[in-house]
Amino acid sequence: MSAATSAYLNQQSLTVLVPVYNEEESLSQFVVEMDKFLALTPVPTTVLFINDGSTDGSLALLRDICGQKPGYEFISLKENRGLSTAIKAGIDHARTTLIGYIDSDIQTTPLDFLDFFEFFPEFDMVNGIRAKRQDTLVKKLSSKIANGVRRTLINDGIQDTGCPLKIIKTDYARRLPLFHGLHRFLGALVQLQGGRVKQLPVRHFPRFAGTAKYNLWNRAWKPLIDTFGFRWIRSRWKNYEIGEQHLSAPAAPAASAGNHH
């Protein structure tokens, strides 16, 4: 790790977002794996679960985990709103300079985050590429179709946009607009802001427990629709930079009547 990276990381903190939807069978083992990363991370790290309206015992497990283990927190959406909304809710509630993302199904390992840090601050996002994917034929086929469509329609250069292992500078994550399918375009949206994205191979494992929440419909047809939506957003995207400013300090809050002596 370079001196510049070490100096940068000394000033940083990380929130790892973990969307959860009916993952009670894998959550306990996920914490075991995450604890291995927390013991080695070079920056202060918080794990933020986002319960996306689970109907199994996931929320009860999250209450137990976060009540017993420092560094673990959760928010719970009132109803299931989908992966994009869960990620955006996590971004909105993070209080750190870097934001990570990983799924709770343990098909990727948080230990691979350790390889990501050396590419900051030069890059604004690091995105994993799942090497030797351990998925069903349907998932592999649908992902191949979806990635082919993406390359044809938007050509963003992101090889594995669906890889659930990413770290983004919070300044860039905060500017992401919430729309259906947001999670499929995180790298492209960082690039739209003028940010640089580094892509790294990461390990991939068979699903630990439970069942995948995706099928050929929502892994092929829905991404196609979302890609056209992204093209519309990209065509109207605007950036700006401040050239000069003179701002007054915020006014002090007025004292309430009850504070007079």
Side-chain angles (χ1 to χ4, degrees), residues 19 21 23 52 82-84 87 101 103 105 107 130 133 135-136 138-139 142-143 162 164 180 183-184 207 211-220 222-223 226:
Y21 178 61
E23 294 286 359
D52 186 22
L83 182 55
S84 292
I87 291 173
Y101 160 52
D103 280 348
D105 58 13
Q107 285 198 263
R130 290 167 288 186
R133 288 187 61 174
D135 278 328
T136 64
V138 169
K139 288 186 71 174
S142 56
S143 291
H180 185 76
H183 63 280
R184 299 185 176 103
R207 187 178 177 88
T211 57
K213 311 303 186 291
Y214 298 99
N215 52 44
L216 192 58
W217 163 260
N218 55 27
R219 293 190 63 89
K222 284 187 177 181
D226 293 340

Side-chain angles (χ1 to χ4, degrees), residues 175-191:
R175 294 193 289 266
L176 297 176
L178 176 58
F179 64 95
H180 185 76
L182 160 69
H183 63 280
R184 299 185 176 103
F185 303 98
L186 295 176
L189 288 165
V190 169
Q191 290 173 337

Side-chain angles (χ1 to χ4, degrees), residues 6-221:
S6 296
Y8 174 80
L9 292 178
N10 285 338
Q11 306 298 318
Q12 305 308 306
S13 54
L14 172 69
T15 297
V16 178
L17 307 182
V18 189
V20 174
Y21 178 61
N22 292 348
E23 294 286 359
E24 64 177 348
E25 295 173 300
S26 62
L27 280 174
S28 295
Q29 185 61 34
F30 173 84
V31 171
V32 171
E33 301 302 320
M34 181 57 73
D35 281 347
K36 297 175 184 177
F37 167 71
L38 294 178
L40 298 171
T41 175
V43 299
T45 299
T46 299
V47 180
L48 177 60
F49 294 105
I50 306 98
N51 177 50
D52 186 22
S54 295
T55 56
D56 64 355
S58 293
L59 180 55
L61 276 172
L62 294 179
R63 293 189 187 110
D64 289 342
I65 293 167
C66 298
Q68 297 174 19
K69 298 182 70 67
Y72 286 84
E73 302 176 347
F74 80 89
I75 57 176
S76 186
L77 306 185
K78 287 186 175 180
E79 58 185 12
N80 176 249
R81 302 297 294 172
L83 182 55
S84 292
T85 302
I87 291 173
K88 186 62 167 65
I91 291 171
D92 291 343
H93 286 80
R95 306 179 300 277
T96 54
T97 59
L98 297 171
I99 293 177
Y101 160 52
I102 188 172
D103 280 348
S104 56
D105 58 13
I106 329 178
Q107 285 198 263
T108 51
T109 171
L111 287 174
D112 282 343
F113 278 139
L114 297 173
D115 296 330
F116 286 22
F117 289 115
E118 65 181 279
F119 296 98
F120 292 97
E122 180 182 1
F123 291 88
D124 305 297
M125 173 180 176
V126 181
N127 190 90
I129 303 172
R130 290 167 288 186
K132 300 179 181 178
R133 288 187 61 174
Q134 305 296 310
D135 278 328
T136 64
L137 179 61
V138 169
K139 288 186 71 174
K140 289 179 180 178
L141 177 61
S142 56
S143 291
K144 185 174 182 179
I145 293 171
N147 283 327
V149 169
R150 283 176 54 86
R151 283 191 293 270
T152 300
L153 294 179
I154 65 175
N155 192 30
D156 59 1
I158 306 298
Q159 295 181 48
D160 188 5
T161 186
C163 178
L165 209 64
K166 312 173 192 291
I167 296 181
I168 310 173
K169 290 179 181 176
T170 300
D171 287 348
Y172 286 83
R174 291 265 190 247
R175 294 193 289 266
L176 297 176
L178 176 58
F179 64 95
H180 185 76
L182 160 69
H183 63 280
R184 299 185 176 103
F185 303 98
L186 295 176
L189 288 165
V190 169
Q191 290 173 337
L192 270 183
Q193 300 176 48
R196 300 183 66 201
V197 179
K198 176 67 178 179
Q199 302 179 74
L200 283 183
V202 299
R203 289 170 285 179
H204 195 245
F205 306 94
R207 187 178 177 88
F208 176 78
T211 57
K213 311 303 186 291
Y214 298 99
N215 52 44
L216 192 58
W217 163 260
N218 55 27
R219 293 190 63 89
W221 176 245

Side-chain angles (χ1 to χ4, degrees), residues 210-242:
T211 57
K213 311 303 186 291
Y214 298 99
N215 52 44
L216 192 58
W217 163 260
N218 55 27
R219 293 190 63 89
W221 176 245
K222 284 187 177 181
L224 174 61
I225 297 173
D226 293 340
T227 299
F228 281 110
F230 173 79
R231 280 166 57 95
W232 183 89
I233 291 172
R234 184 174 65 178
S235 70
R236 287 155 178 80
W237 187 274
K238 298 292 183 183
N239 290 315
Y240 69 86
E241 296 181 9
I242 301 298

Side-chain angles (χ1 to χ4, degrees), residues 241-260:
E241 296 181 9
I242 301 298
E244 186 175 343
Q245 66 180 32
H246 177 82
L247 302 175
S248 301
S256 64
N259 289 335
H260 291 298

